Amino acid sequence: MATRPDITDDAATTPLGGTRAQALQRLQVGVSLLVGIILIVGLANVIEDRAKLAEQRAVPEAAATVEAVPSAPAVDPLADAGVTPDLPTEDAALPAAPAAAPAPAAGAGAQGVDGR
């Protein structure tokens, strides 16, 4: 095997994982990220516990401090404002009863087909 001239002795002896200093730096970064995640999860747990505690201490149904005054509900707010549309009254809305057809005269029905 021939050695390549562009590879130095340091590069040939360096393992694939890098130098010891690089491995130590990767280890420090990994541990610090792990500690940071644990701190964030712990902080979220504390916030959640405090929220539950505050919810338990809160009055579920607070009584009103002012007595409610009963008021009549508005039946038709448009009518109260005076902007009601012109609608026909109920009497005008009903169709007129059809006029009864006049009864035939007594003698008219006795005639024959040819009119005699």
Side-chain angles (χ1 to χ4, degrees):
M1 272 189 158
T3 59
R4 292 176 40 188
D6 57 344
I7 298 177
T8 62
D9 290 335
D10 291 336
T13 59
T14 306
L16 293 177
T19 63
R20 184 175 187 157
Q22 291 173 339
L24 186 61
Q25 182 183 10
R26 286 193 301 271
L27 182 64
Q28 288 174 343
V29 169
V31 169
S32 64
L33 287 175
L34 187 64
V35 169
I37 290 172
I38 290 172
L39 287 175
I40 289 173
V41 169
L43 180 64
N45 190 23
V46 168
I47 291 172
E48 185 180 358
D49 289 344
R50 295 272 174 115
K52 286 180 182 177
L53 184 65
E55 186 177 338
Q56 289 174 354
R57 289 183 181 172
V59 179
E61 303 239 357
T65 56
V66 180
E67 186 176 332
V69 178
S71 62
V75 177
D76 190 3
L78 291 177
D80 293 343
V83 289
T84 57
D86 293 332
L87 297 176
T89 61
E90 289 182 21
D91 294 337
L94 295 175
Q111 295 178 353
V113 176
D114 59 343
R116 295 191 245 174

